């Protein structure tokens, strides 16, 4: 029996599930300072990109580009256009394979430093978080 995918519970306090794409679960990081998605390939037992098959790695790259488009859309919606995308698969805290796609601006308060582990986060608030999640789902419907 093949193990089933389950996102590490460590993702739950800081992000919300928005939708599933062909390979990845898409989560919105609950930090309004940055438009920020987390992509978690929906395969059990993955720790490194090399654990994916060749076709899955290609699909992951396609989904990273797609996430970049969504992050840029979120930045535009917040009237803070993204100037640079940061993409990383760190896994130092949560070993499960996941990728961060973060929109950055030269005036974002942490520029040019990385955002990982730099807080405190600025939670969206329930209504704004749901609005951003809905915006993501609607942008992907067409």
């Amino acid at each position: 029996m093949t193990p089933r995918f389950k996102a590490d519970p460590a993702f739950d306090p800081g992000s919300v599930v928005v939708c599933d794409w062909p390979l990845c679960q898409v989560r919105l990081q609950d930090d309004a300072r940055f438009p920020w998605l987390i992509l978690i390939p929906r395969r059990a037992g993955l720790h490194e990109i090399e654990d994916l098959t060749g076709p899955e790695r290609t699909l992951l790259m396609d989904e990273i580009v797609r996430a970049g488009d969504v992050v840029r859309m979120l930045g535009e919606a917040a009237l803070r256009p993204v100037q640079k995308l940061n993409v990383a698969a760190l896994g130092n805290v949560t070993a499960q394979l996941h990728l961060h796609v973060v929109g950055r601006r030269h005036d974002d308060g942490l520029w040019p430093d990385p955002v990982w582990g730099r807080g405190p986060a600025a939670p969206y608030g329930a209504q704004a978080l749901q609005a951003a999640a809905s915006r993501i789902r609607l942008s992907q419907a067409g």
Side-chain angles (χ1 to χ4, degrees):
M1 179 178 210
T2 304
R4 292 177 37 136
F5 165 78
K6 180 168 175 26
D8 189 306
F11 292 108
D12 293 340
S15 66
V16 296
V17 175
V18 175
C19 58
D20 286 335
W21 287 348
L23 178 64
C24 294
Q25 178 183 89
V26 180
R27 300 180 75 99
L28 174 63
Q29 185 73 13
D30 190 9
D31 189 343
R33 298 176 300 167
F34 313 99
W36 184 341
L37 296 181
I38 300 171
L39 303 178
I40 307 172
R42 292 180 292 112
R43 306 289 187 269
L46 301 179
H47 297 285
E48 304 293 345
I49 291 172
E50 66 202 33
D51 296 337
L52 295 166
T53 66
E56 288 171 333
R57 287 192 297 269
T58 299
L59 184 55
L60 178 62
M61 185 57 70
D62 290 343
E63 291 187 6
I64 290 169
V65 171
R66 184 177 178 185
D69 291 342
V70 171
V71 162
R72 290 183 187 283
M73 179 271 304
L74 291 172
E76 291 288 335
L79 303 176
R80 294 187 315 253
V82 169
Q83 296 170 320
K84 178 69 177 117
L85 286 174
N86 289 177
V87 177
L90 302 173
N92 296 343
V93 174
T94 306
Q96 182 176 27
L97 178 60
H98 63 286
L99 290 97
H100 297 266
V101 181
V102 185
R104 300 296 306 274
R105 294 180 49 82
H106 295 115
D107 62 355
D108 69 23
L110 290 179
W111 185 270
D113 297 330
V115 299
W116 297 275
R118 302 287 306 272
Y124 279 92
Q127 188 174 11
L129 187 65
Q130 286 305 317
S134 293
R135 189 173 286 116
I136 295 166
R137 286 185 204 104
L138 285 173
S139 75
Q140 301 305 300

